[in-house]
Amino acid sequence: MRTKASSIYRSNTEAGCSNRTFSVGGHVLTAPRPVPGLYLVATPIGNLGDITLRALETLAGVDIIACEDTRITRRLTERYAITAQLKPYHEHNAALARPKILEKLAQGACVALVSDAGTPLISDPGFKLVREVCAAGHSVIAVPGPSSVLTALSVAGLPTDRFFFEGFLPAKQNARRARLSELARIDATLVLFESGKRVQDTLRDLAEIMAARDAAICRELTKMHEDITRAPIGQLAKAAATLETRGEFVLVIGPPPAGAEVMGQDRLDDLLRTSLMRDSVKDAVAHAVELSGRPRREVYARALELAKEPAEQIRGGHGED
C-alpha cells in the first residue's frame, strides 16, 4: 500500500515538478531554498522516523542530493515526498563526481551530502569533497542528527568521558590482531564497526587481547530487531558461536579496569623468566597476561623468544640489573 507521501513524490516526479516541499504526517510543507553551499545532512541509521525537521527541510530545499546509494536514499525521500534530484557519490565514483559537484557549487547551487545511514564523513569518502569545497571557498554547513557511534555509546553502559572511534578493523586476522594490540594501549572506551561475517572472529581476537574489559555488542541499532548484549569480552567470545550474525554491528569496548597498570618490559621479562623455569610456555603466558595487563599476543611472542634462551641465562636473567 502506497503512503500519501510516496504518492505525492511519484506524482511530482512524473510531472517534472520542482516544488521544494516535503510531507510529514500527511501535511505538505514548503521548504525554502537554502543559501548556496554544501550541506552535510545526517540521516537515520535504521528507523526512518529519526530524521530531524531541519534535515527534511534541507533535503527538500536543495538542488541536488549527493548520496552513496540512490536506492537507499530514495526510500527516505519517497517516505517524505521529497523531489530533489539524487546523484551518486561514493568511493568508486568520487574522483569523477567531485569536480561536477564543485562546478554546481560555483554556479550557486545548493547541494546536500548524505551517507546511506547516519552522519556523513564517518567511514565514507565525504571528507575529500568537504576539503575541496572548503579550498574552493564555498560554504559547508552541518545538519546534525543520527550517528551509530553515539547511539552505541549511549546504550552500551560503558564510560563515555573518553572514547576512541576506530571504525572497521582490517579483514585479515594477523593485521586485525596487530591493530587490536595497538588499541589495547589506549586508556579509553573503544568503538568499532564490524560486519556480520567477521564479528565472531573479531570477538575471539578481542578475547585474546583485551579479555578483562567489559563490552557491548550493538546489533541493528534503532531497527525492529535491535539487540544489545553487555558482558565481559571473554563471555561474549565464548557465546560467539551462537551469535545472530545478520545485520550491522557496533562493538563498544570499555577502558582497562580501574587500577590496571601495564607492566614495563623489564618486569615482564623477569616475570616470564621466573615462570618458564617451572611452567610450560602456555602456563607462563597465562600467568603473565593476568599480572602484566599486556595483550596475550604480545606476551606470547616474548615468551617464545625467552624460551629459546639457555637455561642458565633464564635463571641468571632473573633479578639482574
Side-chain angles (χ1 to χ4, degrees), residues 59-141:
L59 293 176
V62 297
D63 303 305
I64 298 169
I65 300 175
C67 45
E68 285 186 85
D69 189 328
T70 56
R71 295 167 299 178
I72 292 175
T73 300
R74 188 168 286 114
R75 295 173 197 160
L76 178 67
T77 56
E78 286 185 347
R79 164 79 175 265
Y80 294 102
I82 293 170
T83 59
Q85 187 179 23
L86 303 182
K87 291 287 188 179
Y89 181 83
H90 47 72
E91 62 179 334
H92 302 297
N93 80 335
L96 294 175
R98 271 196 301 276
K100 296 178 181 178
I101 294 174
L102 287 164
E103 182 180 355
K104 292 290 185 182
L105 291 171
Q107 295 169 357
C110 312
V111 179
L113 176 68
V114 301
S115 64
D116 284 346
T119 301
L121 277 69
I122 306 300
S123 290
D124 75 20
F127 84 94
K128 296 177 182 177
L129 176 61
V130 170
R131 182 175 57 192
E132 293 192 22
V133 169
C134 291
H138 303 302
S139 298
V140 176
I141 305 97

Side-chain angles (χ1 to χ4, degrees), residues 20-22 28-32 57 60:
R20 301 176 189 276
T21 60
F22 62 100
V28 179
L29 305 173
T30 300
E57 186 176 82

Side-chain angles (χ1 to χ4, degrees), residues 166-198:
E166 171 68 9
F168 286 98
L169 293 166
K172 294 185 177 180
Q173 187 178 60
N174 286 342
R176 183 169 62 244
R177 288 182 175 180
R179 181 57 184 156
L180 286 173
S181 294
E182 295 172 353
L183 293 174
R185 299 184 177 92
I186 298 175
D187 185 15
T189 294
L190 308 175
V191 183
L192 313 174
F193 287 164
E194 194 51 277
S195 67
K197 66 181 182 180
R198 288 197 298 266

